[in-house]
Amino acid sequence: MNVVADNLTSPKYFYPRIDYRAHPAFRDLDVAPYARETEVNALISAIDLALEKMNVSRLGGDAEIDRVFDLEVAARVAALQDFLSETITDQRTIAWLNRSFALVMKDLRERIHVVNRRHETADHRAKSPLGSIVARDLERDGAHICKLDRESHEKLLALCAPFMKELRERSKSQPNERIVHNFELYGAVGSELLSFFRREGILDGLSSYVGSNVNFSGFALEYSYARQKWWRGVYSDIGLADSNATYMHYDKGSRDPKAIIAITDVTEENGPTSFVRGSHKQNRSTFLHFMMTALDYGFQAEESHPAVGANYRPRFASERYRRELLSLPTALQGSSHFGDDVLDGTALSDELLRNEIRMTKDVGNCIVFDGNYGIHRGALVRSGERFVFQVIFDIAPPLSLMTRLKLQLRWLALKYLKGQR
Ligand SMILES: O=C(O)CCC(=O)C(=O)O
Ligand SMILES: [Fe+2]
């Protein structure tokens, strides 16, 4: 290995780094390592450097951002893609990489647009005391936990009763699926949630955290129960038990903070949502962070070799695809949903588990978090069942003063009409 070049480029990696060549499901597979690691690491460092440069520069408008992105970032990503196409011979792997590069290019471009919006507003402070607490927790921990008040909780339970019944029923015929009901944003359930977010300073806190206007943009009710198999047994073929970090992951995207609200009691037994405190601030390669998700979504199982079992990660559950992973440059060996691959008793496992905040009912029942950059998990029910709302927020450009005034007036008028004043 060229030590000088390595030191010069000092690449950043995906966080967390997992040594797949040492993992029991991979270590005996005898796949020849990719030979041009140093060059690949240098190409990745160049992409990260270009991204960092774009992060701090203030660019005027979307067209300008796109132009600089094409010139500085897209060209370097394309250089890496070309280099891999020239140095990897397996055509299936190349096709997979090409799909993944198309995805990562889109995500990186979107991220740069989001980051640049932060520069459009000078003052990112929250506007209310509660909002400041939400923002402080998000900045410090990556997550904020609070409690749904009793009155809203009871209202929501009453409104959801028919859907809960329907989801329990549906689970019987779809044992391998996640069981979800999508709601209209503007119905009675959505209004109740929106009022709760407003009262708790959640939209205000999120806006301050992301540095842009944040909207409540969608939600669903999810039913989880003990017999579900989607998260179990990814390495059962080699007799390896599920890891203590099972299902720890990042969500896809760069601009969708999330909330999970439990409407039934959650204990250690029925799948508390959890968040690894501070993981959103871990130093990492931005390119690889997005590339891991792209590799997950760009992956396609062969028709002649479909997924084995019910586990949701066919790419890891099958020996055939484990070989494909090992044939990649080390920097690309990973997944946004990596928790199952963290071996128990390792320093990494201890670190993740030590920092994990688990939202059982004594801690709270609403968690707002940065799932794109922070590690989290939930819904792993060992006994009993759990109903939660999965809520997504959306980052919008800052509103003009005029639009803010109009919205405020409309909100007041609506309140007045409903006789809630
Ligand atoms: O259901 C939970 O508690 C978390 C689920 C989650 O993180 C996800 O679906 O992405
Ligand atoms: Fe998630």
Side-chain angles (χ1 to χ4, degrees), residues 178 247-252 258 260 273 337 369 371-372 374-378 390:
R178 291 185 72 163
Y247 190 49
M248 280 194 180
H249 68 274
Y250 298 105
D251 291 337
K252 180 173 167 32
K258 239 191 189 169
I260 302 273
T273 307
H337 288 54
F369 59 98
N372 295 139
I375 297 168
H376 62 281
R377 60 173 163 171
Q390 283 234 20

Side-chain angles (χ1 to χ4, degrees), residues 200-235:
E200 287 293 318
I202 287 172
L203 294 173
D204 182 21
L206 278 169
S207 299
S208 162
Y209 175 68
V210 302
S212 192
N213 189 47
V214 169
N215 300 311
F216 168 37
S217 65
F219 70 106
L221 184 67
E222 178 166 19
Y223 174 53
S224 309
Y225 57 99
R227 296 182 316 282
Q228 282 181 305
K229 295 198 186 76
W230 60 265
W231 56 274
R232 295 182 195 267
V234 65
Y235 296 121

Side-chain angles (χ1 to χ4, degrees), residues 13-18 20 44 96 100 103-104 107 250 252 285-299 315-316 325 328-338:
Y13 291 94
F14 177 66
Y15 177 80
R17 269 188 96 180
I18 292 173
Y20 283 92
I44 291 172
W96 171 30
S100 309
L103 294 172
V104 81
D107 285 349
Y250 298 105
K252 180 173 167 32
S285 154
T286 302
F287 170 72
L288 289 173
H289 182 76
F290 286 91
M291 189 63 185
M292 289 306 167
T293 312
L295 286 166
D296 290 329
Y297 285 83
F299 177 82
R315 174 151 98 80
F316 291 79
L325 178 119
L328 297 177
T330 312
L332 298 182
Q333 293 177 13
S335 163
S336 62
H337 288 54
F338 59 83

